[in-house]
Amino acid sequence: MRFAREAWPFVLPFLAAAAVFWPLGWHIPAGSMAVLGVLVLLFFRDPTRNYEGPPDVVLSPAEGTVIAVEVITDSALGEEAWRRISIFLSVFNVHTQKTPVEGVVIGSIATPGKKLAAYRKEAGDVNENHLTLLRRPQGDLIAVRQIAGLVARRVVAHIQAGQRVIQGEPLGLIKFGSRVDVFVPLSYDPLVEKGQRVVSGETPIAMPTDPSTPPPEDFPVRRLAVRNGDTS
């Protein structure tokens, strides 16, 4: 299992405390610190994700539960309507995110804000967040908004404007989880529904109504296998 490098400033103090307490004979406090350190480390796990299927789909960038599939407008994305798929991350989910599509990053925008509970509908509009805009090779725009919440304290984005990315490589993380919104054009059909669990870098969540490459009925084609940013 791999872990995001951002974990260590949070984990090392617990492990250091355990290392100090144990030689002093304070075994219960030492054990408690070690357990807490491991639990915190689990928030930052970054497992390998593999996707097998048609190339036109939008993959879920986050692991969690779909809490909304709706048509909205968003001032940060212009005046047109978008289909928004919102994914809530519980404390038990992986908190690293993956890029949902191949393309070029044309925008990377951090916005300060509140820390409302992420499951609240208005959290996507008023909470601290980071918006990443991706232009697909065929020209379609896909957006991902990482949203801080009641427990989450910081959003981290790993990719920058002008960067070329492939589907499934590391996008960033929300420290201690929260919510991720994905925006696709109205010409895309949603492939998930409210209440469905999704896996980052594996679960297809949307597809163009008229994809350039029609998907095979049984999805036999191996499209991508990305391991922690290794694209070789």
Side-chain angles (χ1 to χ4, degrees), residues 38-61:
V38 171
L39 291 176
V40 172
L41 183 62
L42 290 177
F43 278 107
F44 296 91
R45 60 194 187 276
D46 188 16
T48 296
R49 298 302 195 197
N50 296 324
Y51 167 66
E52 298 181 358
D56 293 283
V57 301
V58 178
L59 296 181
S60 177

Side-chain angles (χ1 to χ4, degrees), residues 152-171:
R153 308 316 298 169
R154 186 185 172 195
V155 176
V156 178
H158 289 157
I159 58 179
Q160 301 176 349
Q163 183 177 341
R164 291 185 175 274
V165 297
I166 66 168
Q167 191 179 52
E169 72 175 273
L171 183 146

Side-chain angles (χ1 to χ4, degrees), residues 16-224:
V20 171
F21 292 157
W22 188 266
L24 297 176
W26 300 352
H27 295 161
I28 293 178
S32 299
M33 291 296 100
V35 170
L36 287 172
V38 171
L39 291 176
V40 172
L41 183 62
L42 290 177
F43 278 107
F44 296 91
R45 60 194 187 276
D46 188 16
T48 296
R49 298 302 195 197
N50 296 324
Y51 167 66
E52 298 181 358
D56 293 283
V57 301
V58 178
L59 296 181
S60 177
E63 177 180 304
T65 303
V66 176
I67 59 173
V69 180
E70 56 194 342
V71 175
I72 58 94
T73 58
D74 189 296
S75 59
L77 298 173
E79 298 180 356
E80 66 270 30
W82 295 83
R83 198 179 303 280
R84 179 172 68 183
I85 300 171
S86 299
I87 303 163
F88 178 73
L89 289 70
S90 77
V91 295
F92 301 106
N93 293 130
V94 170
H95 297 306
T96 53
Q97 287 88 56
K98 308 291 187 182
T99 51
V101 295
E102 177 185 0
V104 176
V105 182
I106 63 170
S108 182
I109 307 163
T111 302
K114 298 181 180 180
K115 297 281 175 40
L116 300 181
Y119 56 79
R120 294 175 58 174
K121 188 172 183 178
E122 65 269 29
D125 301 318
V126 300
N127 279 21
E128 175 184 333
N129 68 85
H130 193 106
L131 182 67
T132 300
L133 305 173
L134 300 166
R135 181 73 70 185
R136 305 192 76 176
Q138 69 269 40
D140 292 343
L141 181 65
I142 306 295
V144 179
R145 176 174 279 136
Q146 301 163 275
I147 304 168
L150 192 63
V151 178
R153 308 316 298 169
R154 186 185 172 195
V155 176
V156 178
H158 289 157
I159 58 179
Q160 301 176 349
Q163 183 177 341
R164 291 185 175 274
V165 297
I166 66 168
Q167 191 179 52
E169 72 175 273
L171 183 146
L173 62 93
I174 309 171
K175 292 183 178 180
F176 303 108
S178 193
R179 172 175 149 189
V180 174
D181 286 353
V182 184
F183 301 83
V184 300
L186 294 185
S187 58
Y188 281 54
D189 292 326
L191 302 177
V192 293
E193 58 186 16
K194 184 177 180 180
Q196 182 174 338
R197 292 184 59 81
V198 294
V199 176
S200 55
E202 284 189 3
T203 306
I205 60 173
M207 172 179 275
T209 304
D210 184 19
S212 57
T213 304
E217 292 182 0
D218 55 352
F219 287 10
V221 179
R222 184 178 182 84
R223 169 61 177 168
L224 182 65

